[in-house]
Amino acid sequence: MSSSDSSTPRAKSGSSRVRIFFNGFALGVLCTAAGVWYLHRQAQQRPAAQERFEQAAGATTGALADTMTRAGEALRAKLETLDLTPEQIGEELARTGKIVRRRASDLAERATDAATDAYITTTVSAKIAADSELSIRNISVSTAAGRVALEGTVAAPEQLGKAVALALGTSGVKEVTSNLKVQPAK
């Protein structure tokens, strides 16, 4: 299962909300700048409009400062949530020499991938056990990130091919590596 397959709308919603917030914020700043420019132009042509422009500019500056303060507070809260305050960074750098953080959706993907790998291993093992020509006692199946590894022995090259085909025919399998050895039955 690829990382894009396991993404959920909930996992994407956090980064999507942040992107929407910043896009809206940028649009608001652009609209404010265009409005200030227009009002300034109009104010130069009419003295009464000049007074209204100065009042509007003062109000806009105050609103922009308030918005910037809120954005700064939101960023500080996010840094605290991610343990990225200056004190935490200094402590972690002193202890490990590096800073590593994972997105919550990445952790959820890993849990999903582990469950998928377990499903794949169980399904491939069951297919091998159900096949009359193959012996599950002689073939070990392991899976990591959708990649199946087959270990053990088979009696003939045809059985090796069959084991690989059974594994490849399993949903979620990206690749099969066979380390099966052909040892004819005695």
Side-chain angles (χ1 to χ4, degrees):
M1 174 179 271
S2 73
S3 62
S4 63
D5 293 340
S6 65
S7 295
T8 63
R10 176 172 280 164
K12 291 182 181 178
S13 67
S15 64
S16 178
R17 285 186 204 145
V18 170
R19 191 175 306 119
I20 289 169
F21 169 78
F22 283 112
N23 286 342
F25 180 76
L27 182 61
V29 169
L30 288 174
C31 289
T32 300
V36 168
W37 172 81
Y38 177 78
L39 290 175
H40 180 67
R41 191 166 170 226
Q42 292 297 316
Q44 288 175 338
Q45 296 172 357
R46 297 182 191 100
Q50 175 69 28
E51 187 178 324
R52 287 194 311 270
F53 165 73
E54 289 172 1
Q55 290 173 350
T60 301
T61 302
L64 183 59
D66 185 47
T67 301
M68 293 301 291
T69 300
R70 287 186 196 153
E73 290 170 358
L75 179 59
R76 279 189 294 282
K78 184 70 169 177
L79 291 175
E80 286 178 20
T81 301
L82 295 173
D83 294 330
L84 290 173
T85 63
E87 299 82 22
Q88 292 164 323
I89 289 172
E91 179 185 310
E92 191 166 338
L93 283 174
R95 191 170 21 91
T96 66
K98 60 184 173 182
I99 302 293
V100 177
R101 297 293 182 275
R102 301 224 188 288
R103 293 181 16 220
S105 61
D106 290 344
L107 297 174
E109 271 181 35
R110 286 184 181 182
T112 301
D113 288 347
T116 301
D117 288 346
Y119 163 80
I120 291 170
T121 299
T122 302
T123 304
V124 171
S125 296
K127 286 181 178 183
I128 291 171
D131 190 284
S132 61
E133 295 178 22
L134 299 172
S135 172
I136 194 62
R137 287 180 281 160
N138 296 335
I139 299 175
S140 169
V141 179
S142 62
T143 309
R147 290 167 176 75
V148 175
L150 301 174
E151 305 274 341
T153 60
V154 292
E158 296 82 17
Q159 291 176 347
L160 189 149
K162 193 173 201 180
V164 170
L166 287 172
L168 278 174
T170 303
S171 176
V173 173
K174 297 175 185 174
E175 172 183 296
V176 176
T177 301
S178 171
N179 292 317
L180 294 171
K181 307 287 186 245
V182 177
Q183 292 183 346
K186 295 179 182 176

